[in-house]
Structures are given as C-alpha cells and as structure tokens.
Amino acid sequence: MSTALRHSERQIPDRLTRPAARALKSWESLLAIVAIGIFVLNAWASPYFLDPWNLSDASFNFTEKAMIAFAMAMLIIAGEIDLSVGAIIALASTVMGVAMTAGAPTPVLVLLGLGTGLACGAFNGMLVARFGLPSIVVTIGTMSLFRGISYIILGDGAFTGYPDSFAWFGQGYVFWVITVELVIFTLAALVFGVLLHRTSFGRTVYAIGNNSVAARFSGIRVDRVRFILFLLTGLMSGIAAICLTSRLGSTRPSIASGFELEVVTIVVLGGVSILGGSGSIVGVVLAALVMGLVTFGLGLLNVPGIVMSVVVGALLIAVIAVPRLWAMARAKSRKR
Amino acid sequence: MQADPRPQDGATPVLSLRGIVKTFPGVRALGGVRLDLFPGQVTALIGENGAGKSTIVKVLTGIHQPDEGEILMDGQPVHFPTAQAAGHAGVTAIHQETVLFDDMTVAENIFIGHAPRTRWGLIDRRAMRERARAILHGIGADLNPATRLRDLGIASKHLVAIARALSIDARVVIMDEPTAALSHKEIAELYGLVEKLKAQGKAILFISHKFDEIFRIADRWTVFRDGQFVGEGAMADVTEGQLVQMMVGRSVDQIYPKRPARIGEPVLTVAGYCHPTEFSDITFTLRRGEILGFYGLIGAGRSEVMQALFGITRPSKGACRIDDGIRVIRSTAQAVEAGIVYVPEDRGRQGAVKGLPIFQNVTLPSLSRTGRHGFLRLAEEFKLAREYTRRLDLRAASLDQDVGLLSGGNQQKVVIAKWLATKPRIIILDEPTKGIDIGSKAAVHDFMSELAAEGLAVIMVSSEIPEVLGMSDRVIVMREGRIAAEFEGEAMTPENLVRAAAGIGQPQGKAA
Ligand SMILES: Nc1ncnc2c1ncn2[C@@H]1O[C@H](COP(=O)(O)OP(=O)(O)OP(=O)(O)O)[C@@H](O)[C@H]1O
Ligand SMILES: [Mg+2]
C-alpha cells in the first residue's frame, strides 16, 4: 500500500519555539518589567516606600481582590464573567454579622462566610449553566439582588464587635511582616495556577473559551465546567469577605462596592482576553502587584482619592487598549 | 509536463500572478508561484492539502499581501490592499471557510457591504430580497431570503456564500472547493452556473480535490506542490494519473482499499427514532466490523440523526441499544463513555477548536487517558498526537501550531485524528474526507477499513457516491427525514442511490 510508505516521510516537530523563548516575548514579561519599573519609581519618589512594614501594609491593596481575580480569570477564559463578586462579599459579610450578633464563634463565622459565597456562586452558576442565560445579564441582576439583601438586613446600620480571634484573618501575621492575607493570596495563586495550567479541567476551560460548541462536540461537559467556575468564584469571594470583614472589623452594606470592576481590571491587565480563550495565572499575579504598587505609590505621594480613581479608571481603559496595540505591533513585526 | 501556457485561441490572460511569495511563521506557503486566468475559461488549481491554494486565493482577494511578486490585470500591475479593492477591480471569491453572519438574514448576508439603496440612500429591503431570491434561484437554492442564517444547515450556508460571491459583478470568479459541502443535486446546479459564467466571458479559478469534476468543467489546469508552481496546460492534453503524479510526486492507488471484514454481532440498534421536525421513524442496526454508508440529499436529515445518536439533540421518541443494554444518551460525554464518537460535518464550528494547538485538539477527548489523576502529562499528549497525525498524513509546521492556521484539509485531519485517538467502538463520520486531497483520502480510507477489520463499527455519512459505494458494506438512503431505502451487494449502484435519494420511481433495492 503506497500510503504505508508515506507515513515515515515527514515528521512534524512537537514545537518550533521553546516555551521559555515564548515566555520571554509574552505580555507577562512586559508586566514584570512594568512592575519592577513602578517599584523602582516608588522607591525613588518616597523614602518611606522601602520600609518592610509599609510594603506589608500596602499588600492589602490587592490581596483580597487578587484572590477573587484568580477565579475570575478562569471564568473569563471560559468566556463568562461574574459581576456580582462585590455583592457576594457584602452578603457573606452580612450573614457573618448576623451570626456574630447571635453569638456565633469564629469557626462558625468562617463556615458561614464560605457557605454564603458558595451558595451565591451556585445560584449564578445554575442560572447560567442550567438555563443558558448570558452571564453578564445574570450577574448584573444578582449584583443588585445580593447587595439588596444586605441593605434590607442592615439599613443604615453596621455590624461591629467581631470576636478578637476573628481579627486574625485580616489583621494577623504569620511571621514577621508576612500577613495572613498574603499567605492566602500565595496559596490561592499556586492552587489556581496548577488548576488552570496543569490539569485536564484547566484544559477544558481553554477549549470552552475558544469554541464552546466544538468543546461540547468533543465530549466535554461544558455546563458542568461553567457551573464549577461560578462556584469557585463564589468560594473565593467568600474567602475575600472573611478577610475584608476581619480587617475592617465591621460590616456595612456598602462593603466592597466597586470590587467587581477592580477585579476585572486586574484580570484584563494580566493579559486574559476579555473575549475568552487565553490568559495565565502568572499574568494575574503580576497585574495584582502592579495595581497594588500603583495605588500604594499614589497614596505615598499624597494623591487625593478622587485622582486615584481617575488613575485606576485610566488604567482600566489602557489595559483593554494596550494588549490590542501590542498584538497589532507583534503581528506587524511578524510580517517583516 | 510543461504545456503551452496559452490556450488555443491565443487569448491574453485577464489576471496573471508572477513570482508570488508568501511566508507565515514557520511555513513558506507560497514560494514564487505563477498563475494565469483567461476570459471564458475555467482554470483548475490542483494541489495537496497545504499546497498553498487557499493562500493564493487570499492574495488575489486582498486578504493577504504577498511578500514578493506582482499581480497583473490586463497586463497592468495592480495592488489589492483590501478585500474591497479586489471587489472593485472585479475579483470575487467563494472562500473555503465561509465567513457569514449568523444573526443576519440570508439576503443581508448576500448583500452586506453593497446593498441596493433607495432614492433616500437607505437600504432597499424589498429590492434586496428580490435580487437575493433571483440569485439563489439561479444556483438552484430555494432558500427564503428572510431566513436567519443561524437556522440553516452548513450546506445551505455554503449556498448563501456562493450567492454572495455572485452578487458582485466580477470579471474573475474564484471558487475554493465550492462542491465540498454539497450533494449531487446542488453540484449539478453549480456546474450549470459555471457554464453560464463561462459563456459570459468570465475567468474562473476552480479549486477542487475531486478529479471527476475537474475533468468535467475545467479547460485548463495549474498544479502547485508545497507552495511551488509545478506546471500548467490544457485539460485536453493531460490524464488524471499525470495530474496526481505532479501533485503528490508519486502515483496513488485510487481504488478504495476496502478490506473484507468479518461482520459480527450487532453493536448498535436504533429503533423508531423520531424528532419533532428533523426526522422520523429511524430504525437500523449496525454490526461489528461493518461500514454502513448513509446517503441522501442536503436536508435529508442524516446529520441530525447522527447528532441525536451522539447526544447533541434528544430524540422525541425511540430508543437505542448499544450491545445488549438500552441506553439513553443525554450528552456527548455519555456518548463518548459508551464508545460512540462523531466526526462532525461543520469542522469550523463543531470540529476544530481554533486557538488551541494541534496536539491539544487531538487529545481533548482523551485527556483522562493521556493524563493521570486529572493532571496533564504533556509528553503523553505529544506522543498520542504524533502517532495519529502521522497516520493521517498531516502537514503542519509543528504540533504546537494553532489549528486555525492550518489549511482546510489539514484541519479536517486533526478532527479525524482526535476521534480515532479515543479508540472508539462506534465511529460516526459525517463527510469525513471533505476537503481532503487524494493521497490523504486514501490514507483515511485505508485507516478506516483497517479499524473496521479490527472490529470497529463505522457509520459513514457521505454525499460522494464513489466514496459511499467504495467503502460501505451496506448503504442506507435517507430522504426528507426518513429512511427511503437500503441497499446491499449488487443493488449498490449509483443509479439506485440517486433515485432513492430523489424519490424517483421504485428502486430495485428492498424499500424500507
Ligand atoms: N495565517 C496563517 N498562518 C500560518 N500559516 C498559515 C496561515 N495560512 C496558511 N498557512 C499555512 O500555509 C500553507 C498553505 O495553506 P493553504 O490554506 O493555502 O493550503 P491549501 O492548498 O488551500 O490546502 P487545502 O487543500 O487543505 O485547503 C499551510 O501549510 C498552512 O498551514
Ligand atoms: Mg484550502
């Protein structure tokens, strides 16, 4: 058979560029350079910046948001989005506040925080995966719904007086300047990094984001994956709610308002395509650091809060535009 | 095999390409090729998958800019910086991978960018619909211009793409595998259309992997191999064997390599499958080692039945039995677990995951086998991908390359490799060799009959009569959502298939 002859004729190489060479030219390395640049700039602009305790304090600028950003990154890679994360924090915090007032001990508060996050995530996930509603519409709805419940329960009031042991999550240190939140952030980065890049589940997330129809035709349980991703985002929002409530020591219904936009900004800045299908956890980690450094640097320079939000807004627009320009520039250089 | 480049009557080419070079990262898709198109003549462009045929079409229509070389129209150098520029210059194309808009109507898709206007400069919807109807009628497609594209099957979408190309008044008409998605009825209409365009003095470039149609409608031929020009000449002076020799650099056995397989016990029994709109009362049995052909016209419901078996849609009535257990397949994941896999007809939407590398496409349904405890093992993935892509004669720069950058035929090979790599027990192939070149087709057929001989049960949906007859042990013909007839042995003749598919007269086979 002549075809048998042909099999051995050509050998397709596994890869043309080594993964390391590719990484050098990636968005992530650009981000790393930017992070180092801002770090140096901050150190040069303010004598207080390099103090370890100051830096440790500054990490609160991003740790809570970044925890959610890891889960959100996977959701966006799969072509979905969750805009209710800030509202999930508010609801979880409120539930913990109610339990605290009733005299629940810290472990119960933690379980309630996690449970509320999971329940909210399951609700979002069910509406999207089970009933096929678009996630942007669903989560804009649940954004008002979850926070609305907090407002009904709390009105103008606030819960204060959390037990001392509860303060550990948002105010404690594991050793020296390393905060508990920083440790949670690092662990979450590792877990999500492995989940997205090293497991079959992570692979199916990319497949769904690139072509959900073909993914379904490849025997992937697309709806189940989507549901799990919403569940994970809810869980991470619950963890963030515990940290934030513990750090502030109080719950107001306006807690974590605007979080969703900052989380999405971190994800997009991290190089995750807002259209789905591509991105990495390393990028999200770097983006979180960049965001944290920018906010902290501006704070050190006594830039007023209003200007700060202008800067963050400009950053959000820039990060949507810059990756496009970057891709266009690369496409051009490739042509030559 | 270098014949006189001019046709007998000494006409001058409308369009000439000289020394066109086009490189992509890792591939030199075109390495200085030439091509001439003459008025009133059909030039067939022939070459293997990945030879650069679609790339030259994209250069001619302003989608790609050549790195080197020139395009001459009536002897004058021209540039096509955009697709619009090519359209204005009178070049129109039916692309291999059609880009249409799912949420627009048929008429809107045909006229997007050049819709007829009213006196007030608004889109003249009535005129648009009427003209769309006329063009569609001209190609024998009786589609309602007001239908949303989303509601059409892939073949009908393809007819819309053809209508779109023809809605531009052009001097040069390019057709990149226009018949790959069509069945014999539409193909006959298309041939009629090509004759009409020829009579109007248009220059036609016709790309196809089917030699019977090349010999039927082309006047001239040009062969590319690996991005190089190999030769050109008149169809009258060449044989199929010579063309194949030029195209692949060796001869290919064209006989369908059907091996006598031992047909065993039934593995799949479908009883009374019904669907509210697409099909009704589908009953058949598939046996171990058997290749069961499904033939029919477009819209006969073949793909819909197959997708119901694969768990994409659910039948409203009926049951299927796999081996001895009645199973209800509710999802594709369950189908794959039961050992049923499906190579879809619409490879762009349902087959290839563009954006993911080749090896990841191949291993997507096999991750539980290549990985361990849910973790990926890249070395195993590459091993599996290497094995199956080699069997199917894939042409790619590397296994890490994005599937979306492969030539059409090579994408199809990746999709077939993906499913064969799962080692299924029942494989449903929906137009499996669509867009695949002659050499690779033989490789696919060879692989199919080898697997059947090992006990795999195969359902092959195909609109290509020689393929159906050459590969199948038994053929079921569907018409309008029902099984019209079943043929076996001597009764498997082209006439019987065509008659049963069209519903003409009483075929000699046993009517179902
Ligand atoms: N955008 C792109 N980026 C990288 N490589 C490309 C791109 N487009 C085409 N190629 C490569 O160029 C070569 C020629 O592809 P082309 O699509 O022209 O083949 P073809 O002759 O049309 O094949 P087929 O018969 O399968 O349709 C292939 O190796 C393909 O992988
Ligand atoms: Mg092609």
Side-chain angles (χ1 to χ4, degrees), chain A residues 106-140:
Chain A
T106 299
V108 174
L109 296 185
V110 170
L111 285 180
L112 280 174
L114 299 179
T116 310
L118 280 173
C120 292
F123 186 64
N124 283 332
M126 191 184 66
L127 290 178
V128 172
R130 191 65 191 265
F131 301 113
L133 303 172
S135 58
I136 190 149
V137 177
V138 165
T139 59
I140 284 178

Side-chain angles (χ1 to χ4, degrees), chain A residues 1-3 6-7 10 12-15 22 198-200 203 210-211 214 216-219 221 334, chain B residues 25 48 250 312 332 349-350 352 360 374 376 381 386 390 393-395 397-400 418-419 446:
Chain A
M1 183 101 262
S2 55
T3 47
R6 207 159 164 204
H7 298 148
R10 297 180 197 226
I12 303 172
D14 287 354
R15 300 178 192 274
R22 193 186 280 186
R198 292 277 179 272
T199 67
S200 310
R203 177 69 59 72
N210 278 300
N211 185 344
R216 179 157 172 248
F217 272 83
S218 301
R221 294 184 161 89
R334 206 184 283 156
Chain B
E48 286 179 292
R250 64 183 170 86
I312 296 285
T332 57
R349 229 165 59 83
Q350 303 167 342
Q360 296 187 6
L376 300 172
E381 289 190 47
R386 237 179 274 136
R390 183 162 349 138
D393 195 25
L394 183 79
R395 305 293 168 85
S398 79
L399 292 177
D400 197 27
K418 167 171 94 176
W419 285 120
D446 189 32

Side-chain angles (χ1 to χ4, degrees), chain B residues 255-263 289-292 445-446 448-450 452-453 468-474:
Chain B
I255 322 117
Y256 289 92
K258 180 77 181 105
R259 298 176 196 180
R262 205 176 51 78
I263 295 177
E290 182 180 40
I291 299 181
L292 175 59
H445 288 150
D446 189 32
M448 262 169 78
S449 55
E450 184 186 316
V468 175
L469 294 180
M471 293 303 297
S472 313
D473 297 300
R474 195 154 54 97

Side-chain angles (χ1 to χ4, degrees), chain B residues 80 104 126 132 173 177-178 209 249 300 308 331 338 354-355 378 398 449:
Chain B
F80 298 146
M104 293 196 198
R126 166 122 42 104
V173 181
E177 299 190 30
H209 291 294
S331 69
K354 293 180 189 172
L378 288 188
S398 79
S449 55

Side-chain angles (χ1 to χ4, degrees), chain B residues 49-50 52-55 96-97 176-177 207 209 347 407-409 435:
Chain B
N49 295 133
K53 304 181 298 295
S54 298
T55 306
Q96 187 177 14
E97 308 283 329
D176 195 351
E177 299 190 30
I207 298 175
H209 291 294
R347 79 170 158 251
S407 80

